[in-house]
Amino acid sequence: MFDKLLIANRGAIACRILRTLNELNVGGVAVYSEADAASLHLQQAAQAISLGEGPASSTYLVVEKILAAARDSGAQAIHPGYGFLSENAAFAEACEAAGIAFVGPTPEQLRVFGLKHTARALAREQGVPMLEGTDLLPDLEAALLAGEEVGYPVMLKSTAGGGGIGMRVCRSADELRDAFDAVKRLGQNNFSDSGVFIEKYIQRARHLEVQVFGDGQGEVIALGVRDCSVQRRNQKVLEETPAPNLPSGMADALCAAAVQLAKAVSYRSAGTVEFVYDSEAQRFYFLEVNTRLQVEHGVTEQVWGVDLVRWMIELAAGDLPPLADLIAGLKPSGHAIQARLYAEDPGRDFQPCPGLLTAVQFPPTDGKALRIDTWVEAGCEIPPWFDPMIAKLIAWAPTREQASAGLDRALADSLLYGVECNRDYLRQIIKDAPFASGSPWTRCLEGLQYRAQTLEVLSAGTQTSVQDYPGRLGYWAVGVPPSGPMDDRALRLGNTLLGNPEGAAALEITMSGPTLRFNTDAVVSVTGAPLPIHLGGVEQPMDTSLFVAAGSTLSLGTVGGAGARSYLCLRGGVNVPDYLGSKSTFTLGQFGGHGGRALRAGDVLHIAELEDGSHGESLPVELRTDLPAVRSIRVIYGPHGAPEYFTPAYIETFFATDWEVHFNSSRTGVRLIGPKPEWVRESGGEAGLHPSNIHDNPYAIGAVDFTGDMPVILGPDGPSLGGFVCPVTVIEADLWQLGQLKAGDKVRFLPVDIATAR
């Protein structure tokens, strides 16, 4: 067995290979782009080597860098995983020339099967059923002639590559004419080969594939049939084995054809022979061969109880027992289904969603009923340069129905926040008729209308953040402020109006509000400082529950009169993960809420599915925000008053003054402009040079803190400890007023006793 093996890949497959290497006591060497520096596979590897900055073209696809990493680490073998260099014959040859074992097929086999037209030629020689089609087409004229001969619709295909790239259905000569140059360009740009050919297109085709494994000496085994028909734009979404609802004997016939084709070249290592299956005619046709480990290999492993990666490594090391011994007594058990979890937004045409994962949680796995292959944890960045797959969830059970239910539960119990993902889309597919009935076809998802429980931020406003009440309690002693709404009264009233718990997460809007597009029905209310509200261009009232239909745009304008903050509450609340027990955003700490920051244009927020659409209720007039010209805020006197720190005359002045709010005010604190304090002492002594200085003293939210000669009312994002005197503290009942203070407002403090405060 090898001492060290290098994985020339990233993500979930790198973690998967490392798991097997650790079981074999083989040192795993990981390579990585700097964009993947937080990937779990680097933690699991015995050694990690950087390939530098940038996308695959300057990292994972650079043969010289991979080979240099293998030489420098002393690795005796390279496992290419899937994608990247896994089917690159020149790379396999370069490994062999360097004296490094390539864990995969031979270079010759990679070449024969690497181009679809040469694979078709071999399949034709072996008598494997073929779709009507052509060899490589020299030009458009030849393609148009072939289209007429084969009969429309046809599939125009790039001969190189995979993953659905370079495939176009053409239903007429005009569509073929439009697609020809584009498909050639895709092949050239993605696989350095512009060759194209035509195949007959089957309208309701299933995509079936057979897992094969060969010893390179002529022996080949097949491990059942996978169904990979659930595809989006020719890319697989769900995969399962055994393939459901096949006629008796069809699986055996598929396996026999795959083994025959692989034996023709004395196939070595793991591979997949793919077929198109015509459900109406109950016939199968050769499609292509993937000369590598497939993304969906895990469903085969779960049903057959094998480790294909282990077999590949042992074969490359010369330690694999004869295939006859491996399969003696081996038989499939139960059913397995895999879902591919991607960082992409189904609600925006599946655009990739790179970014920071702020929360990651998967359900516990047991290795059999549920297996999860992933490379992420909270704090991982999904880079923009690579395939955005986050994880593969594989559910196994004795029956297909049980496996399907188990996969749905696993997806429901998975939490990924910070980027959009296709989790809810996968759950809708599982419940949709084509998959649920066991009769999917390759284009069945075209009829699925995705239902997104989301709203999109078209414009974010000045400072819009997620807050909940009472915020993040219990951590202020260690420097983590509570955050939460600055005007908790407005948020709590808005939630109560909607029938929510009073503390449900809502959007706090500072001065200027966002514009939001709703992808689902919702009932909302806007409370706090009055601002213009327009729903679909029609003005709406404050302090009233409003029905927002899916597809509508809600625009919140700028606070025009008194006040600074408004609150948009939604029935069911805003779904963001808890951080230290709260959904509130703490922007200075960069945690909580949506990504630990204020909202930005392009953000997507998830909201609860609307079960009660009733609306039209309003807050009583006496409960609506009313802000006089001079705000009277009640306070408790102390702890640092006269005569220890201030003169008695100044304390009288303090209470008699209409203080002006300074422009430099925020959630951290509200600064005030007014008469300069009269200090009893000349300095803070050992605490500092200024008489406002004291030794560290615990603060309270609402404490009026003299930082030098300027008082600051500490806000919910302020410090918990400091070295300044605090002559008064705002009572709890009036803390909401802090959220409605803006530059130029006037404030007068009114001292009350504890009984009044309570």
Side-chain angles (χ1 to χ4, degrees):
M1 181 51 66
F2 305 117
D3 294 321
K4 284 186 178 181
L5 182 146
L6 183 142
I7 303 102
N9 218 294
R10 64 178 296 275
I13 184 57
C15 292
R16 164 71 185 90
I17 296 168
L18 280 162
R19 186 169 68 240
T20 294
L21 290 177
N22 291 333
E23 292 171 359
L24 291 170
N25 293 317
V26 174
V29 180
V31 293
Y32 64 98
S33 164
E34 287 295 330
D36 284 330
S39 173
L40 285 176
H41 82 283
L42 303 188
Q43 302 174 27
Q44 299 165 356
Q47 184 177 356
I49 298 174
S50 174
L51 300 174
E53 301 276 0
S57 59
S58 56
T59 53
Y60 297 107
L61 289 174
V62 182
V63 172
E64 295 77 13
K65 287 186 177 182
I66 301 292
L67 292 177
R71 285 193 300 269
D72 293 345
S73 65
Q76 300 138 301
I78 293 177
H79 197 307
Y82 43 67
F84 293 147
L85 297 170
S86 61
E87 295 179 284
N88 188 304
F91 176 60
E93 285 178 337
C95 290
E96 293 182 357
I100 299 170
F102 178 79
V103 183
T106 67
E108 293 77 14
Q109 292 162 359
L110 292 171
R111 284 198 174 89
V112 168
F113 290 128
L115 297 177
K116 296 181 181 71
H117 74 283
T118 56
R120 283 172 53 85
L122 178 61
R124 190 180 295 113
E125 289 176 10
Q126 295 299 311
V128 177
M130 302 280 295
L131 278 172
E132 188 177 357
T134 71
D135 293 325
L136 288 184
L137 298 164
D139 51 39
L140 176 60
E141 288 70 24
L144 292 170
L145 181 60
E148 295 298 329
E149 292 176 351
V150 172
Y152 293 99
V154 299
M155 179 75 85
L156 179 64
K157 286 186 173 183
S158 169
T159 187
I165 299 173
M167 298 171 62
R168 191 75 63 86
V169 177
C170 304
R171 303 182 185 279
S172 66
D174 287 342
E175 289 187 8
L176 178 57
R177 186 179 290 107
D178 292 341
F180 189 79
D181 287 338
V183 172
K184 286 179 71 70
R185 278 196 305 274
L186 282 170
Q188 183 63 45
N189 294 340
N190 288 279
F191 313 114
S192 300
D193 192 321
S194 63
V196 295
F197 66 98
I198 277 176
E199 268 183 352
K200 180 65 179 174
Y201 177 68
I202 297 175
Q203 295 280 14
R204 288 174 71 94
R206 289 174 66 180
H207 183 116
L208 305 180
E209 59 187 39
V210 177
Q211 176 69 60
V212 296
F213 196 94
D215 63 5
Q217 307 300 315
E219 287 300 314
V220 177
I221 60 171
L223 297 173
V225 180
R226 296 189 291 251
D227 191 319
C228 306
S229 301
V230 181
Q231 300 179 12
R232 184 186 61 78
R233 298 173 187 163
N234 302 313
Q235 292 187 322
K236 300 166 187 173
V237 180
L238 294 179
E239 300 105 336
E240 62 182 308
T241 196
N245 296 329
L246 290 181
S248 177
M250 185 60 67
D252 291 338
L254 284 158
C255 290
V259 168
Q260 179 183 348
L261 187 59
K263 279 187 172 183
V265 295
S266 295
Y267 190 79
R268 184 183 80 184
S269 197
T272 300
V273 184
E274 301 193 351
F275 299 92
V276 172
Y277 180 71
D278 187 336
S279 297
E280 294 181 0
Q282 296 190 352
R283 296 185 61 186
F284 65 84
Y285 306 94
F286 172 76
L287 185 61
E288 63 182 345
V289 177
N290 281 302
T291 49
R292 54 173 167 83
L293 199 66
Q294 290 279 87
V295 176
E296 59 270 24
H297 74 278
V299 294
T300 296
E301 292 183 327
Q302 297 303 95
V303 166
W304 286 81
V306 300
D307 186 337
L308 291 169
V309 172
R310 185 186 188 111
W311 285 8
M312 293 175 75
I313 294 168
E314 289 179 338
L315 177 63
D319 295 335
L320 186 72
L323 292 185
D325 294 346
L326 284 177
I327 63 171
L330 195 65
K331 60 181 182 180
S333 171
H335 201 98
I337 309 173
Q338 171 178 286
R340 301 188 186 198
L341 195 59
Y342 281 97
E344 62 184 15
D345 188 352
R348 290 190 282 195
D349 200 27
F350 297 91
Q351 72 177 33
C353 295
L356 179 68
L357 281 167
T358 56
V360 175
Q361 181 180 312
F362 291 110
T365 61
D366 59 5
K368 185 62 176 177
L370 179 62
R371 166 177 158 183
I372 298 176
D373 291 354
T374 187
W375 61 278
V376 302
E377 60 183 352
C380 279
E381 187 94 20
I382 306 295
W385 297 308
F386 311 117
D387 181 273
M389 188 165 69
I390 295 172
K392 302 181 299 176
L393 283 74
I394 306 170
W396 176 92
T399 68
R400 184 178 190 270
E401 291 73 19
Q402 292 169 334
S404 180
L407 181 58
D408 184 56
R409 282 194 304 274
L411 288 165
D413 293 341
S414 297
L415 167 67
L416 294 130
Y417 201 87
V419 302
E420 280 302 289
C421 73
N422 66 335
R423 187 197 71 147
D424 293 341
Y425 178 64
L426 293 169
R427 296 191 67 200
Q428 290 174 28
I429 295 172
I430 290 171
K431 297 178 177 67
D432 199 39
F435 179 80
S437 67
S439 303
W441 65 97
T442 54
R443 292 185 174 263
C444 64
L445 295 185
E446 292 177 358
L448 177 63
Q449 186 68 40
Y450 174 61
R451 302 177 303 280
Q453 298 297 322
T454 61
L455 60 85
E456 300 175 37
V457 180
L458 303 183
S459 64
T462 305
Q463 184 83 4
T464 304
S465 64
V466 177
Q467 302 293 341
D468 65 357
Y469 173 82
R472 194 166 285 106
L473 302 183
Y475 300 95
W476 218 31
V478 292
V480 178
S483 298
M486 275 200 81
D487 179 355
D488 66 84
R489 179 179 179 274
L491 178 139
R492 293 158 71 189
L493 286 170
N495 276 326
T496 303
L497 182 60
L498 297 176
N500 290 342
E502 67 169 358
L507 298 185
E508 178 177 272
I509 297 155
T510 304
M511 295 307 297
S512 181
T515 299
L516 309 169
R517 180 170 57 230
F518 284 72
N519 297 318
T520 186
D521 291 348
V523 175
V524 308
S525 65
V526 183
T527 56
L531 47 63
I533 306 168
H534 289 91
L535 179 59
V538 178
E539 190 170 357
Q540 303 293 326
M542 292 280 298
D543 302 303
T544 302
S545 59
L546 309 171
F547 179 78
V548 182
S552 300
T553 298
L554 179 69
S555 298
L556 303 180
T558 299
V559 175
R565 287 176 177 83
S566 308
Y567 292 84
L568 173 64
C569 300
L570 302 100
R571 183 164 289 160
V574 180
N575 291 339
V576 299
D578 285 357
Y579 190 93
L580 297 178
S582 170
K583 302 182 189 304
S584 287
T585 309
F586 178 39
T587 55
L588 292 175
Q590 298 181 30
F591 57 72
H594 184 78
R597 57 171 173 77
L599 298 186
R600 300 172 186 158
D603 284 343
V604 175
L605 294 177
H606 288 249
I607 60 178
E609 184 173 0
L610 185 63
E611 297 178 354
D612 175 11
S614 61
H615 60 282
E617 300 86 355
S618 298
L619 286 177
V621 173
E622 61 270 20
L623 289 181
R624 302 184 185 191
T625 299
D626 181 27
L627 301 170
V630 178
R631 315 291 166 74
S632 179
I633 297 181
R634 292 166 292 183
V635 295
I636 297 292
Y637 181 56
H640 309 124
E644 291 86 358
Y645 302 96
F646 301 93
T647 65
Y650 182 73
I651 293 300
E652 290 182 12
T653 300
F654 178 85
F655 286 122
T657 297
D658 290 345
W659 294 88
E660 182 179 340
V661 176
H662 191 272
F663 70 88
N664 188 15
S665 297
S666 66
R667 287 178 53 88
T668 304
V670 178
R671 296 176 182 271
L672 301 174
I673 303 169
K676 184 176 180 179
E678 298 170 2
W679 300 100
V680 170
R681 53 189 191 166
E682 294 181 359
S683 77
E686 292 182 356
L689 295 177
H690 194 275
S692 65
N693 294 145
I694 57 175
H695 285 294
D696 276 355
N697 163 67
Y699 289 146
I701 301 296
V704 178
D705 162 33
F706 271 78
T707 56
D709 290 337
M710 175 174 277
V712 180
I713 313 174
L714 292 177
D717 287 354
S720 61
L721 191 71
F724 297 103
V725 298
C726 303
V728 298
T729 301
V730 178
I731 69 170
E732 187 176 1
D734 279 6
L735 283 176
W736 69 271
Q737 293 205 60
L738 304 187
Q740 299 301 347
L741 297 176
K742 64 175 181 289
D745 284 350
K746 294 296 190 348
V747 175
R748 180 171 289 218
F749 295 106
L750 174 66
V752 297
D753 59 20
I754 290 291
T756 302
R758 292 298 180 207

